[in-house]
Amino acid sequence: GTQVTVEVHAKDTTPQLFKKFSFGKGTAWALKPGRVGQGATSFPLKIAPSLPETMTTHFFAAYPWDKSSLKSMPVDLQQFEKLDAYALKVNVKNSVEELVKALLKQARTDLEKVRAIWMWICHHIEYDVVGYHNKSQLSSKPIDVLQKGKSICEGYAGLFEQMCSIAGIQCMKLSGYSKGYGYKMGQTFTGDSDHAWNAVYLDGRWHLLDSTWGSGSVDDSFTEFTFRYNEFYFLTHPALFINNHFPDNSNWQLLKPTLTLKDFEKNMLHNSNFYMLGLLTAHPETAVIQTVNGKASVSVDCRSATLFTFKLKGTDEHGLMTLKKHGMKLDIYPQKTGSHKLQIFAKPSKASEDVYNCVLEYVVDCKSVDKAMRFPKDLHQPVGPSWFTERQGFLRPSHPDPIIHTNDGRCSVTFTLGKDISVLASLHSDNSSLTEDMRRRHIMQIHRGNQIELKIHLPHAGNFVLKIYAKKKSDPGNYDYIFNYLITCLNTEVKWPAFPQSYSKWLEDYEILEPLSGLLPANRNVQFKLKMHGIAKVLVQAENTYPLTQSRGYWEGTCNTSGCREVFVMVHENANHSFYSHVLKYEVETQ
């Protein structure tokens, strides 16, 4: 609020007024070097507004975030590589002035000066967990912070401010509330501020940064600090910074419109991983989600293909997560009422390590339970086909949704397969007495060119998981799990027998048209129709032997099931050979 008057005179003359500037409460100027009248001198000092309360709108970022950039000004990190490496190696501890002098040897622009100071602090000052618990032993004076090499946020921000001041950069130390260590979702903030950070004046506007959070993190018990550099908190876009920093003076949000403390409290906390992984938005935007009829839904949008998992109260049960090209959708069905912690994890699809980072946390408040949505324990997340399964060679799925509903207990799933892919499928259920081998016989693979059909006949009603595995045909190794579907059938009268058992000589492009059931009726004539190629003769072995005849690519004929328990289909691959190979086996109903 102070009024400052600056008079500008020509150099070495008796005062004769050329221009007069007033810096009052209502104006903000940055004086650039320039000629004012004859022989006028330039101004080495850039004068920045000390409080942004009077700035014109171009000083402010719009809220919510416009998804353009994580930074508040254009920053090319590759151009900083040399400077960053230099700043990390500087080792001066005797005085703040000497340290700044050494750092600025490689920095030309104001942005480079700020960057060098930022990098040095983030990699040389550790968080003082002991001092945090025992404030009497703590000094936040810049020289003490420098020489001890550790401090709390107050010391980081104070050292940053002084180093900028020595470098001729206008910098402010700000304080306020933060959603940092110990933050509980949905909590309210009262009393004194709990965190400190900085604002720097670059290119005619203010920018925010937090060197404490840029340097690393403390463990859950708040006893150990780990250096883990975090680029996110350098010149963070104000609409993202407000996510976990609420300044005492709301003008320092640098936002239009500013957020109220109530908004800040109820808004979803997106940690830095969320944005660094290229995620854009999450719905809902509030930290606490109420279930509706036992269900809660979360969705995330992102720039590029990203893999997700979740944990509800520590397990990935009671949910159905599907991957989308630009994000994911998750439906949660808690099986107990009350409050449940929900965590969402993500990793880039190209990441080599299998490490997922936590990107979101919610509290799911469940008022009622939907018992019908109890999923089999073998259901693996995410569910259903996606861009990921396409990459594994499963193209154009007949069922793009994760759940397949069947009323009569039968369904069929088709894909176009990529080259050289061999497929294995299995069926799982929590309440099935069948062996895994027997359950596998309730799935039949049919290959037609590069198309595969999985025909499924369920042994009983209920919820089933159809798991799909694949490997390269040329690869002698094991099959890798690719994805799964949830198959639901409510019709309690469903009771399909397994398909016939096939042997190794049954080739993948052979096909059974009839009988599909692996259990044949007793004392009946049964019609056979099989599609096979490269075969000289086909016999059906029951009590007697029945040859099948070839017609237009199909082998057809009838066999009688009287007096036998099993029926075999046998092939004669070569007319010159005398032996037959078993290809299929059927059971016969007991009388």
Side-chain angles (χ1 to χ4, degrees):
T2 310
Q3 175 91 4
V4 179
T5 299
V6 179
E7 293 188 355
V8 184
H9 302 275
K11 197 173 173 185
D12 306 323
T13 61
T14 49
Q16 180 198 355
L17 190 62
F18 280 101
K19 237 174 205 179
K20 188 169 178 173
F21 302 99
S22 274
F23 301 95
K25 207 165 177 183
T27 46
W29 294 90
L31 297 189
K32 298 252 186 332
R35 296 173 68 77
V36 186
Q38 188 56 43
T41 185
S42 60
F43 283 84
L45 175 68
K46 297 188 182 86
I47 300 176
S50 63
L51 267 182
E53 60 198 315
T54 57
M55 288 195 260
T56 52
T57 42
H58 83 272
F59 278 101
F60 293 93
Y63 185 85
W65 183 44
D66 61 8
K67 302 179 190 172
S68 57
S69 167
L70 302 183
K71 305 283 187 196
S72 52
M73 68 187 287
V75 171
D76 183 349
L77 295 178
Q78 281 182 316
Q79 287 191 347
F80 285 146
E81 279 174 5
K82 271 190 183 158
L83 178 65
D84 289 354
Y86 170 77
L88 263 52
K89 288 194 189 113
V90 170
N91 186 16
V92 177
K93 292 282 177 86
N94 56 331
S95 84
V96 182
E97 286 77 8
E98 289 299 314
L99 171 60
V100 173
K101 201 166 145 189
L103 284 171
L104 296 195
K105 280 180 184 164
Q106 296 286 321
R108 299 181 321 280
T109 65
D110 285 356
L111 174 59
E112 286 175 356
K113 291 173 187 175
V114 169
R115 178 70 179 188
I117 293 167
W118 158 268
M119 285 307 275
W120 193 91
I121 289 178
C122 286
H123 290 85
H124 291 85
I125 306 298
E126 65 175 281
Y127 195 86
D128 189 350
V129 284
V130 177
Y132 174 82
H133 294 296
N134 185 2
K135 301 277 197 303
S136 62
Q137 303 295 305
L138 197 67
S139 165
S140 293
K141 284 184 188 160
I143 185 62
D144 295 337
V145 173
L146 174 64
Q147 290 175 347
K148 269 185 78 179
K150 56 172 69 174
S151 188
I152 60 169
C153 56
E154 192 72 29
Y156 278 89
L159 179 59
F160 200 97
E161 183 181 40
Q162 186 172 7
M163 288 174 76
C164 283
S165 172
I166 294 164
I169 310 284
Q170 192 139 349
C171 176
M172 298 288 289
K173 185 171 83 174
L174 306 176
S175 58
Y177 296 130
S178 71
K179 292 181 180 177
Y181 175 79
Y183 167 71
K184 300 269 188 300
M185 275 180 293
Q187 78 172 57
T188 54
F189 291 88
T190 53
D192 294 339
S193 54
D194 60 20
H195 192 46
W197 58 92
N198 296 96
V200 288
Y201 194 74
L202 295 168
D203 283 2
R205 57 196 292 181
W206 287 98
H207 303 270
L208 302 166
L209 40 78
D210 184 339
S211 57
T212 313
W213 288 10
S215 66
S217 57
V218 290
D219 61 345
D220 289 344
S221 59
F222 212 83
T223 53
E224 196 179 350
F225 170 81
T226 307
F227 275 112
R228 191 180 290 115
Y229 176 68
N230 194 335
E231 175 62 42
F232 180 73
Y233 293 106
F234 178 68
L235 310 183
T236 317
H237 192 296
L240 302 181
F241 204 75
I242 190 65
N243 190 36
N244 43 21
H245 293 74
F246 189 84
D248 294 335
N249 179 335
S250 63
N251 290 307
W252 280 112
Q253 292 179 22
L254 305 184
L255 290 174
K256 273 275 189 284
T258 55
L259 260 71
T260 64
L261 181 58
K262 210 170 191 60
D263 289 334
F264 176 73
E265 287 169 347
K266 79 172 179 11
N267 273 6
M268 186 62 229
L269 172 62
H270 298 147
N271 61 29
S272 58
N273 285 331
F274 183 91
Y275 297 109
M276 296 300 269
L277 282 167
L279 310 187
L280 298 169
T281 55
H283 298 280
E285 289 172 350
T286 52
V288 180
I289 316 173
Q290 309 287 342
T291 58
V292 177
N293 300 325
K295 172 184 170 184
S297 295
V298 173
S299 64
V300 176
D301 296 325
C302 54
R303 288 186 201 279
S304 56
T306 307
L307 292 166
F308 293 88
T309 66
F310 75 92
K311 291 233 180 315
L312 181 70
K313 273 199 159 173
T315 76
D316 67 353
E317 296 166 16
H318 316 310
L320 202 68
M321 177 179 273
T322 49
L323 292 182
K324 308 283 180 215
K325 196 159 192 173
H326 295 292
M328 72 88 183
K329 185 172 189 300
L330 171 64
D331 292 330
I332 289 286
Y333 301 89
Q335 293 299 300
K336 282 185 182 159
T337 54
S339 285
H340 305 269
K341 181 177 176 179
L342 171 63
Q343 294 167 294
I344 313 281
F345 302 84
K347 73 165 189 171
S349 65
K350 292 184 175 70
S352 50
E353 309 119 51
D354 201 27
V355 178
Y356 283 81
N357 284 301
C358 183
V359 290
L360 286 172
E361 281 193 17
Y362 288 97
V363 171
V364 178
D365 191 11
C366 180
K367 296 277 189 280
S368 66
V369 171
D370 183 351
K371 292 284 183 205
M373 295 309 276
R374 185 171 277 172
F375 302 125
K377 62 179 185 299
D378 280 308
L379 189 67
H380 194 82
Q381 307 293 338
V383 186
S386 65
W387 57 265
F388 177 76
T389 55
E390 271 187 20
R391 280 191 193 175
Q392 310 301 314
F394 288 80
L395 312 170
R396 293 187 276 285
S398 57
H399 291 70
D401 293 327
I403 305 182
I404 299 170
H405 300 279
T406 166
N407 191 40
D408 69 356
R410 295 182 297 181
C411 60
S412 168
V413 186
T414 60
F415 302 94
T416 301
L417 280 185
K419 281 193 179 72
D420 187 35
I421 293 176
S422 180
V423 176
L424 189 70
S426 59
L427 205 57
H428 304 262
S429 165
D430 285 352
N431 54 353
S432 182
S433 55
L434 299 175
T435 63
E436 186 179 344
D437 212 38
M438 202 61 203
R439 288 197 304 267
R440 195 166 275 157
R441 279 185 49 203
H442 282 265
I443 306 166
M444 185 162 72
Q445 284 192 35
I446 301 162
H447 291 257
R448 301 182 189 99
N450 63 352
Q451 280 242 319
I452 182 174
E453 178 185 357
L454 299 175
K455 219 184 252 297
I456 296 125
H457 285 185
L458 298 179
H460 51 77
N463 287 341
F464 290 83
V465 180
L466 172 65
K467 289 200 170 193
I468 296 171
Y469 303 80
K471 73 178 184 75
K472 281 201 158 95
K473 286 180 186 166
S474 51
D475 184 353
N478 294 332
Y479 283 85
D480 290 325
Y481 168 79
I482 307 294
F483 71 114
N484 55 189
Y485 279 102
L486 177 65
I487 302 176
T488 67
C489 177
L490 300 173
N491 182 351
T492 50
E493 288 175 19
V494 161
K495 194 182 176 188
W496 289 100
F499 293 109
Q501 192 174 341
S502 58
Y503 296 104
S504 58
K505 294 280 186 183
W506 179 263
L507 302 185
E508 73 169 22
D509 56 352
Y510 289 180
E511 188 178 340
I512 305 170
L513 284 92
E514 56 182 344
L516 283 177
S517 169
L519 188 63
L520 303 179
N523 306 320
R524 293 277 178 85
N525 284 333
V526 177
Q527 182 69 30
F528 276 78
K529 186 175 184 182
L530 308 170
K531 189 180 181 182
M532 295 187 283
H533 56 80
I535 299 292
K537 270 187 195 169
V538 181
L539 297 178
V540 177
Q541 171 85 55
E543 178 74 2
N544 298 313
T545 304
Y546 303 86
L548 301 186
T549 55
Q550 193 178 16
S551 157
R552 294 194 298 278
Y554 295 101
W555 291 88
E556 296 180 76
T558 309
C559 114
N560 190 285
T561 57
S562 300
C564 64
R565 302 286 301 277
E566 295 172 330
V567 171
F568 292 93
V569 177
M570 303 185 298
V571 297
H572 209 61
E573 294 171 65
N574 189 321
N576 300 326
H577 290 174
S578 58
F579 57 86
Y580 284 84
S581 304
H582 287 72
V583 288
L584 295 173
K585 175 187 170 185
Y586 289 85
E587 311 278 332
V588 178
E589 284 177 346
T590 49
Q591 292 151 338

